[in-house]
Amino acid sequence: MNSGVDAVAFAAPAAASDAAANGLVGASQVSIALLLVIAAIFGLAWLLRRLKVLPAAAPGGIEVLSQVALGARERAVLLRIGRERVLVGISGGGVHPLLVLAAEPVAEPGAALPVAAPVVKPESASFADLLRRSLGR
């Protein structure tokens, strides 16, 4: 009889360690799954912000062409309103128009685009010439 009691007593710690190991594995699997779900949410939010998934502007509506941060709470934003472009300053105090640009020219279908005149740079003087002029020689 004594041998049967000893076998049961020694078997109990093994069963308890198996249950603890199974519980640890289950908790780690749940934690990893939770971390993957959170990472997927942040990844999708980053992707949507990066792609700027916004509805297209309606014809004649307001469209943001470009924006640049000028400070912690200040921005300059270039808007297209109809055919005009407006540069506005946005700050904590409100929105202020800075510059209204002329309407964009409408190109006829099949018409050639206007060609800009070439930029001519003046002859650049050497550093020695500039130094002589500044010294009055």
Side-chain angles (χ1 to χ4, degrees):
M1 279 258 175
N2 199 5
S3 66
V5 172
D6 291 337
V8 172
F10 287 115
S17 66
D18 288 342
N22 287 339
L24 185 61
V25 169
S28 65
Q29 288 177 342
V30 169
S31 298
I32 290 172
L34 182 61
L35 289 174
L36 287 175
V37 168
I38 291 172
I41 290 171
F42 280 109
L44 285 174
W46 175 82
L47 184 65
L48 290 175
R49 195 170 44 239
R50 187 82 172 157
L51 294 176
K52 295 183 179 177
V53 179
L54 298 174
I62 298 174
E63 180 183 358
V64 176
L65 298 176
S66 180
Q67 60 181 329
V68 63
L70 302 174
R73 297 182 62 194
E74 296 83 19
R75 293 183 295 163
V77 178
L78 182 62
L79 302 172
R80 178 180 296 142
I81 303 171
R83 289 182 48 213
E84 290 187 342
R85 291 174 291 168
V86 180
L87 181 65
V88 295
I90 301 173
S91 66
V95 178
H96 307 284
L98 302 176
L99 178 67
V100 177
L101 302 169
E104 297 175 356
V106 177
E108 295 293 325
L113 296 174
V115 178
V119 177
V120 179
K121 294 183 178 179
E123 300 266 339
S124 60
S126 68
F127 178 74
D129 292 338
L130 292 173
L131 183 60
R132 275 191 225 114
R133 283 187 218 155
S134 68
L135 293 175
R137 296 182 186 177

